[in-house]
Amino acid sequence: MAEDDKFVKDGTVDYKNNPAIKKETGTWRACPYILGNECCERLAYYGINTNLVNYLKFQMNESSVVAVNNVTNWSGTCYVTPLLGAFLADAYLGRYWTIAAFSIIYVFGMTVLTLSASVHGLKPPCDDKNTCHPKGIQIATFYLGLYLIALGTGGIKPCVSSFGADQFDDTDETEKKKKSSFFNWFYFSINIGALVASTVLVWIQTNVGWGWGFGIPAVAMAVAVVSFFSGTKIYRNQKPGGSPLTRIFQVIVASFRKFKVKVPRDSCVLFEIGDEESAVQGSRKLDHTEQLSFFDKAAVETQSDRIKGSINPWSLCTVTQVEELKSIIKLLPIWATGIIFSSVYSQMGTLFVLQGNTMDLHMTNSFEIPSASLSLFDTVSVIFWVPVYDRVIVPLARKITGHKNGFTQLQRIAVGLVISIFAMLIAGTLELVRLRTVRQHNYYEVKHIPMSIFWQVPQYFVIGCAEVFTFIGQLEFFYEQAPDAMRSLCSALSLITTALGNYLSTLLVNIVTDMSTRHGGPGWIPDNLNYGHLHYFFWLLAVLSVLNFGFFLFVAKFYTYKKAIGPSS
């Protein structure tokens, strides 16, 4: 066996114990494989998500409200399953094998979905008027494929960004400076995939067929798997640190068991191992903080804490273990503010599309753009703003603020929250103008009113700008502020805001539909939007966004950033 082979563990490289291997692994040399994987996986995801509301409405014969809710429920599930993937990655498998295993499930789900839209007997039959009548087995096969994809994405989404960031050593200042830039380009690669999905794939789904429209994303996902495995030999691997949930519950149990124990004023006497490295595998020690001092009781050593010379982990925990729990608790208020933002973002795949369906789709006399393809302007906006932010805004902000990254992570998130408010105001104003045109010219029963769909471009473009600040800021924030051995879990927590945002959108749609149709009226969001008041819903989201921003400013004011000490293992 070659000398360096013993440093290859579980398919990835353990670079910490061999400086020679460190020079040949990680950093930007490993990132193209990871970014390529993410680009193709996002192409597959958005190839389904972007136009799914139209598939459900016209191929599965669902009403507008049911279709919108099914899209947001599925999207939400795609962002809940990362909790499972993150737990397995942090506790047992590591990020590399979690991504690998769940990618296989993802490909299988894409295959089932493609079959449901292309194979006779599984494909919904349609009559001469293009009205489809799906049967039970066809509906079941479609949703089986859809939710297998939701499960597959659960092992990829919480791990890929963290796995990419793992390629940069926190103890190496040169590499650490490049990490912030990685998150920008990671999000850039996501939107390259989304751009192809919202243009080429949506056009194919609308004009060629759904079999091809789902089959191409399935191939893209297979390419994503190949891209990921291609970089195996040069990846840097962070060892799984054991179950993070177990460590969290140990601190909680130990704290309550010592409810009457007083915490000493001198934090130096609190329990911590004497070695330079943390007792938690794959984690640096964390410095003691004064906040949430109740949990410090878990680190107060008493005579009963040692059983036959060994430590009972359910009675005595290290300072680092206590600080892990504190870090998670302190993240939660910031985490909660992402829910409303995600509700705003989710409108691009649902109500923005339905709004666009009512407008003039012509680009030329002979070519119509699918309404779902307008999301390409969100993608173009992100692709435009990422390099501008990285190369222009950050250097200018650095001169003003003196911060090495231009803005702190919380400042970056805050800017995006403000911008998202304007996106909803713009969308609501456009709908108000559209309805005024309908009333003035009696266009109530007209399928496409003579008002160009390209009036929607500003609302998509503004949301894209908000993404660059808030979503990328959240990616970096949750990675940097998470304990080293809980980074996948905290990345999953940031994704859960997207899930809850989608579920909140579903809840709000149901509430306003029930309330606005109570007296027999068409409601805010009827099947024929020309009779509705969709602008009320957009303005409701704008008001909620303003309240959410106020709450964010309050909790951000009291947040203290994590302080790690010692080298990571």
Side-chain angles (χ1 to χ4, degrees), residues 262-267 269-270 300:
K262 291 185 178 180
V263 178
R265 292 184 179 181
D266 185 2
S267 62
V269 302
L270 295 176
V300 178

Side-chain angles (χ1 to χ4, degrees), residues 8 32 34 68 146 197 227 301 312 430 489:
V8 180
I34 299 170
V68 166
L146 206 60
S227 174
E301 187 169 3
N312 179 6
L430 173 64
L489 181 64

Side-chain angles (χ1 to χ4, degrees), residues 57 85 93 144 216 226 292 307 361 414 466 483 534:
K57 187 171 182 180
L93 299 179
L144 173 63
I216 294 173
V226 172
L292 302 170
I307 303 174
L361 305 178
L534 183 57

Side-chain angles (χ1 to χ4, degrees), residues 7-300:
F7 295 102
V8 180
K9 299 179 180 180
D10 301 326
T12 50
V13 177
D14 178 17
Y15 71 95
K16 290 289 185 180
N17 297 318
N18 191 324
I21 285 184
K22 178 177 178 180
K23 293 180 180 180
E24 302 298 327
T25 61
T27 66
W28 279 108
R29 68 173 63 83
C31 290
Y33 303 101
I34 299 170
L35 296 179
N37 168 270
E38 182 65 8
C39 180
C40 292
E41 187 275 326
R42 289 292 86 187
L43 187 153
Y45 173 81
Y46 286 113
I48 301 166
N49 179 263
T50 302
N51 209 17
L52 183 59
V53 68
N54 281 331
Y55 185 86
L56 294 175
K57 187 171 182 180
F58 299 114
Q59 301 298 309
M60 303 301 287
N61 200 19
E62 297 180 355
S63 69
S64 292
V65 169
V66 172
V68 166
N69 286 345
N70 279 333
V71 171
T72 51
N73 287 339
W74 175 73
S75 297
T77 303
C78 288
Y79 289 90
V80 166
T81 53
L83 279 178
L84 172 63
F87 175 78
L88 292 175
D90 281 343
Y92 305 111
L93 299 179
R95 287 186 262 276
Y96 175 87
W97 283 111
T98 302
I99 294 170
F102 279 78
S103 292
I104 304 301
I105 298 174
Y106 201 130
V107 172
F108 184 67
M110 290 295 308
T111 302
V112 173
L113 189 70
T114 302
L115 293 175
S116 75
S118 55
V119 174
H120 181 71
L122 297 178
K123 178 182 178 181
C126 302
D127 57 27
D128 295 337
K129 297 180 181 179
N130 288 326
T131 301
C132 298
H133 305 280
K135 299 177 182 178
I137 185 66
Q138 295 159 347
I139 295 172
T141 303
F142 170 76
Y143 279 104
L144 173 63
L146 206 60
Y147 279 87
L148 279 174
I149 292 167
L151 176 60
T153 196
I156 299 172
K157 289 190 69 64
C159 297
V160 174
S161 62
S162 295
F163 188 64
D166 287 345
Q167 307 309 309
F168 301 91
D169 187 355
D170 277 334
T171 62
D172 186 320
E173 286 301 320
T174 301
E175 291 190 15
K176 190 175 181 180
K177 290 178 182 178
K178 298 176 182 178
K179 185 184 293 185
S180 180
S181 185
F182 165 78
F183 286 107
N184 291 330
W185 293 104
F186 175 80
Y187 207 75
F188 183 87
S189 68
I190 289 175
N191 282 273
I192 292 295
L195 178 62
V196 176
S198 61
T199 52
V200 177
L201 289 181
V202 169
W203 186 87
I204 289 173
Q205 290 165 353
T206 305
N207 296 282
V208 178
W210 289 96
W212 282 99
F214 288 153
I216 294 173
V219 173
M221 190 57 218
V223 172
V225 174
V226 172
S227 174
F228 180 74
F229 281 116
S230 297
T232 295
K233 291 185 178 180
I234 59 174
Y235 291 148
R236 293 178 179 176
N237 183 45
Q238 299 290 336
K239 302 174 185 177
S243 171
L245 296 181
T246 299
R247 296 198 301 276
I248 287 173
F249 283 116
Q250 284 173 343
V251 174
I252 295 173
V253 170
S255 299
F256 280 97
R257 289 179 69 174
K258 296 178 178 177
F259 184 82
K260 297 182 179 181
V261 173
K262 291 185 178 180
V263 178
R265 292 184 179 181
D266 185 2
S267 62
C268 294
V269 302
L270 295 176
F271 178 70
E272 182 62 272
I273 64 170
D275 297 339
E276 187 177 2
E277 294 186 352
S278 167
V280 180
Q281 185 81 280
S283 179
R284 292 167 291 178
K285 289 182 179 179
L286 294 175
D287 204 3
H288 176 262
T289 60
E290 298 296 334
Q291 297 149 312
L292 302 170
S293 59
F294 171 79
F295 295 108
D296 289 336
K297 294 176 183 291
V300 178

Side-chain angles (χ1 to χ4, degrees), residues 499-566:
L500 295 178
N502 278 278
Y503 293 147
L504 176 62
S505 179
T506 298
L507 177 64
L508 290 174
V509 167
N510 287 335
I511 290 174
V512 301
T513 298
D514 290 342
M515 294 185 65
S516 60
T517 59
R518 185 167 295 173
H519 301 294
W524 287 10
I525 315 173
D527 285 342
N528 185 342
L529 290 181
N530 293 335
Y531 289 99
H533 299 282
L534 183 57
H535 55 295
Y536 290 167
F537 188 79
F538 291 144
W539 287 344
L540 171 63
L541 285 177
V543 171
L544 292 175
S545 296
V546 170
L547 297 175
N548 184 57
F549 176 66
F551 178 70
F552 177 86
L553 291 180
F554 175 76
V555 296
K557 181 179 179 181
F558 297 99
Y559 185 81
T560 56
Y561 287 89
K562 179 188 77 173
K563 293 181 181 179
I565 54 177

